Every structure is written in C-alpha cells, then in structure tokens.
C-alpha cells in the first residue's frame, strides 16, 4: 500500500491537517445546503438567488477539492464521508421543504459569516507552520467573504 509522506514536521502536519479537515467539512456541508436551498427556493427574488446559490455551490466545491488535495499532499487523509460531515458540521441546518427568498438571504448571511470566522481562525493556526496552506485559506476566505457580502446587502431590516 502506497502512503504519502509529509513535507511538514509532525506538529505542523497535525495543525494543518486539522485545519484542512475542518474546512473540508464546512465546504462540503455549505455546498449541500446551498443546493437544498436552490431546489426549494420561493419568492419574488427566486431567479437572482437561485443563481447566487449556484455560485456558492461552485465556490464550495472548487475549494473543497483544493483543501482535500492539500491534505493528502501533506500525508493527511481527508474525510468527506456523509457520516463525518453529519457528525462534525457546525453549520446551521435548513428545515426540509420550501424556503422563502428572505429566509435564504438571512440564513446564508449567517452561515457564510460563521464559516468565514472559522476560516480566519484556521488561517491563523497555519500561518506559522505551513505558508502553502495559509495561501489556500486566504484564497478561499476571499471567495467566502465576497459571497457573504453579496447576501448581506440583501438583508431587509
């Protein structure tokens, strides 16, 4: 059986691997929740939100693959199994059924803010131990914060 050796020291590998796994869980669940909302969305802002949710899915799926591949490249096995995501997710879950456009805006503003906060924490944890992963987190965080902004400006007060 082939294995991948890490270019990082053991402690750096552990810190980085944990940060990558947490990010993988966030991004997989984000992609699933955005698709759930995309399919069940109702309301006068259906069309633009329907398209925005696809952008969230695309961002999450692109970045989760990058996170998983970075994990394996440092000798850490990524775990994207459904049971792992269900057990470890920290994301607020949607109820089953239809979801109004106002609920989507409010919910995804909160979800993206919470994920962004965790990404900033993970970014801080890898800054000193793995600059390559640090750069990946910066790129992903940029996309997440952009999507957060695009939802947040639609919140009706």
């Amino acid at each position: 059986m082939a294995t991948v050796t890490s270019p990082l020291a053991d402690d750096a590998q552990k810190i980085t691997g944990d940060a990558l796994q947490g990010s993988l869980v966030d991004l997989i669940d984000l992609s699933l929740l955005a698709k759930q909302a995309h399919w069940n969305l109702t309301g006068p802002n259906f069309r633009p939100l329907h398209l925005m949710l696809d952008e969230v899915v695309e961002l999450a799926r692109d970045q989760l693959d990058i996170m998983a591949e970075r994990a394996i490249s440092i000798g850490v096995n990524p775990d994207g199994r459904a049971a792992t995501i269900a057990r470890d997710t920290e994301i607020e879950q949607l109820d089953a059924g239809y979801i109004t456009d106002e609920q989507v805006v409010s919910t995804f503003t909160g979800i993206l803010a919470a994920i962004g906060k965790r990404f900033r924490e993970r970014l801080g944890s890898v800054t000193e131990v793995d600059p390559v992963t640090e750069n990946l987190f910066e790129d992903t965080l940029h996309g997440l914060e952009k999507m957060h902004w695009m939802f947040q400006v639609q919140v009706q007060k």
Side-chain angles (χ1 to χ4, degrees), residues 6-17 74 76:
S6 181
L8 304 176
D10 289 348
D11 60 333
Q13 180 191 33
K14 170 83 170 103
I15 291 166
T16 304
I74 63 164
V76 174

Side-chain angles (χ1 to χ4, degrees), residues 5-58:
T5 58
S6 181
L8 304 176
D10 289 348
D11 60 333
Q13 180 191 33
K14 170 83 170 103
I15 291 166
T16 304
D18 288 348
L20 288 164
Q21 180 61 36
S23 299
L24 188 62
V25 169
D26 272 345
L27 292 169
I28 290 171
D29 201 19
L30 176 62
S31 73
L32 295 172
L33 289 169
K35 265 305 178 190
Q36 180 69 16
H38 171 91
W39 295 324
N40 291 286
L41 177 63
T42 64
N45 292 312
F46 169 84
R47 181 75 175 146
L49 285 174
H50 190 76
L51 297 174
M52 280 181 67
L53 289 164
D54 270 342
E55 291 177 35
V56 171
V57 171
E58 183 179 353

Side-chain angles (χ1 to χ4, degrees), residues 88-108:
D88 294 346
T89 191
E90 296 180 48
I91 299 177
E92 172 189 351
Q93 298 298 295
L94 301 173
D95 291 331
Y98 294 114
I99 182 169
T100 68
D101 51 1
E102 287 181 4
Q103 289 172 307
V104 165
V105 168
S106 176
T107 300
F108 277 85

